[in-house]
Amino acid sequence: MIGWANALAAGLMLGVAYTLLTEGLGTALLAGGAGALLGIFFVRGAHAAAGTGELDADLVDLPPGKGYKVVLVDVLHSADEGVAIGVAMAVSMPLGVAMGLTLGLHNVPEAMVLSSVLARRGVSPTRATLLAVGVNAPQVALAVASFSLVASWPALLPWLAGFAVGALIYRTLVELLPESYHQAGQTSIAMVTLLATGVVVLLAGVVR
Amino acid sequence: MSDTLVVFVYALLTALATGLGALPFVLFGEVSPRFVAYAGAVAAGLMLGASFGLLAEGSEYGRGATLVGGLLGVVFILVTQRYLGNHEAPELIFGPAGVESARKMLLVVVVMTVHSFAEGVAVGVSFGGGATLAAVITIAIAIHNVPEGVAITAVLRPRGVSVARCAGWSVFSSLPQPLMAVPAFLFVETFRVALPYGLGFAAGAMVYMVLVELLPEAYRFGERAQVATLATGSAIAMVLFQRWL
């Protein structure tokens, strides 16, 4: 189950990355590429600093003391997702709404994992929910920030779009996919991921 | 040169690139599983980036048709895998010595040869989508063929096959590329409505192969962070390169 949830999330993120890559860069390829490198090394550096590089969010046998790391990882997640939503909104409002919905949907399995960790530590469901939402607060802040940045300085659009694309793809490849391969068969993982990507690409094309 | 001949020559060049996979063995004598994993990660990124390009091109002609084509591509690989018994290359290369040598050598060549069918279709249909797309896809597949040659050589070489013959078998495994590229090209040229289906087919088949084979293999023998960096970097570089052309 968790494997498929991860694969679903991976597919949704790949779809969002594809959409931003085709819609957000325009002709500023170098800026987009530089932004993408920044995005990759932002997530990589954050993982290295937090020591969460090889942490599976599988959590059935999470050692005590690692719970806060799940929270930390989730906070990081919401950072580049926020940038992605802000950038998509700057490209066009309907696209932004579609990407927001997609990433919102993808937050659900993430929150499930987080809540199960908290519940095992005796945190009440209400507080767990609040914390799960709180963890995603940077998403809102960064979405607003990147949207208004791009609105003021349009030249920043390819940088931020590149950043979001690099971070999203890197995170899919470093966390979601390797975890999901441990949790379910490769064939079903590939199918779920592809299906999710296809749906996002289709959705983005329709609302463009 | 007629268009058909150009397609054939390009796809033949991608096939010949597979032979370069024997080169590291000439230079270093042998290669580690980790090296093969990282080469695979780069190949996965290139395929992912190239598929993004195919998908974007296909969407210009018809979004629904591209997705239907993508689904067909996935089903194609699924069926061929079932038929071959779902053998994974890494187990073949570095797995326990349970399988007898001759069978192992035969299997790795067969598996890689089947891969090449979808890649040949990709080269062919990309010519239907214009010169830029064709150049990008040809280059992506040529580079991606090199790690396939590495994988084949890694199986054959320790079993006493000479480097030249390893290169030969590597090229052989990619011969479906020129053979599939020409009919695929002629098909989408004759029936323009088929173009988005063809582009989608190639994209679906390639992404599926990335997800079901290249990435899991790379994770098994390489470090996650390195695999992800290499694959993400080469995927984005591929897309930017295509835009630049």
Side-chain angles (χ1 to χ4, degrees), chain A residues 18 21-22 25-26 29 33 36 40 44 54 56 166 169-170 173-174 178 181 186-187 190-191 194 202 205 208, chain B residues 52 55-56 63 67 74 78 88 207-208 211-212 215-216 219-220 224-226 228-229 231-232 236 239-240 243-244:
Chain A
Y18 166 81
L21 208 51
T22 43
L25 294 189
L29 300 181
I40 293 173
R44 208 187 147 138
E54 301 267 330
D56 273 18
I169 300 184
Y170 179 81
L173 291 179
V174 86
Y181 287 130
Q186 289 166 5
T187 307
M191 293 302 257
L194 268 175
L202 196 68
R208 187 165 64 150
Chain B
F52 276 9
L55 215 59
R63 231 171 281 281
L67 282 184
V74 173
L78 256 177
E88 288 161 29
V207 176
Y208 184 74
L211 288 174
V212 90
L215 282 179
Y219 290 129
R220 203 165 313 167
R224 261 193 211 181
Q226 312 292 10
T229 307
T232 311
I236 293 175
V239 172
L240 293 181
R243 288 284 194 81
W244 177 71

Side-chain angles (χ1 to χ4, degrees), chain B residues 12 50 59 84 107 111 115 147 152 157 165 175 189 195 210:
Chain B
L12 190 62
S59 304
L84 286 174
L107 262 176
V111 167
H115 276 193
I152 290 177
R157 187 80 187 94
R165 279 178 168 244
L175 282 184
E189 276 294 283
L195 184 57
V210 165

Side-chain angles (χ1 to χ4, degrees), chain B residues 87-112 151-152 154-156 158-159:
Chain B
H87 292 286
E88 288 161 29
E91 281 165 28
L92 292 171
I93 301 171
F94 304 109
V99 194
E100 66 272 39
S101 278
R103 196 174 131 75
K104 207 166 181 176
M105 294 199 287
L106 183 68
L107 262 176
V108 76
V109 174
V110 169
V111 167
M112 295 299 181
I152 290 177
V155 173
L156 301 191
R159 292 178 172 74

Side-chain angles (χ1 to χ4, degrees), chain B residues 88-186:
Chain B
E88 288 161 29
E91 281 165 28
L92 292 171
I93 301 171
F94 304 109
V99 194
E100 66 272 39
S101 278
R103 196 174 131 75
K104 207 166 181 176
M105 294 199 287
L106 183 68
L107 262 176
V108 76
V109 174
V110 169
V111 167
M112 295 299 181
T113 307
V114 170
H115 276 193
S116 297
F117 277 93
E119 289 152 11
V121 171
V123 173
V125 294
S126 70
F127 274 88
T132 309
L133 185 69
V136 169
I137 300 301
T138 305
I139 292 171
I141 289 183
I143 300 177
H144 143 273
N145 277 343
V146 178
E148 289 207 351
V150 172
I152 290 177
T153 310
V155 173
L156 301 191
R157 187 80 187 94
R159 292 178 172 74
V161 180
S162 74
V163 170
R165 279 178 168 244
C166 288
W169 280 113
S170 302
V171 173
F172 172 85
S173 78
S174 288
L175 282 184
Q177 285 169 12
L179 297 181
M180 287 308 293
V182 171
F185 168 69
L186 290 176

Side-chain angles (χ1 to χ4, degrees), chain A residues 14-73:
Chain A
L14 281 183
V16 172
Y18 166 81
T19 307
L20 289 181
L21 208 51
T22 43
E23 306 287 331
L25 294 189
T27 50
L29 300 181
L30 277 182
L37 277 182
L38 285 177
I40 293 173
F41 284 98
F42 166 74
V43 181
R44 208 187 147 138
H47 270 310
T52 47
E54 301 267 330
L55 178 68
D56 273 18
D58 186 359
L59 316 177
V60 185
D61 301 306
L62 196 72
K66 282 242 167 141
Y68 77 95
K69 286 195 170 165
V70 177
V71 179
L72 210 90
V73 169

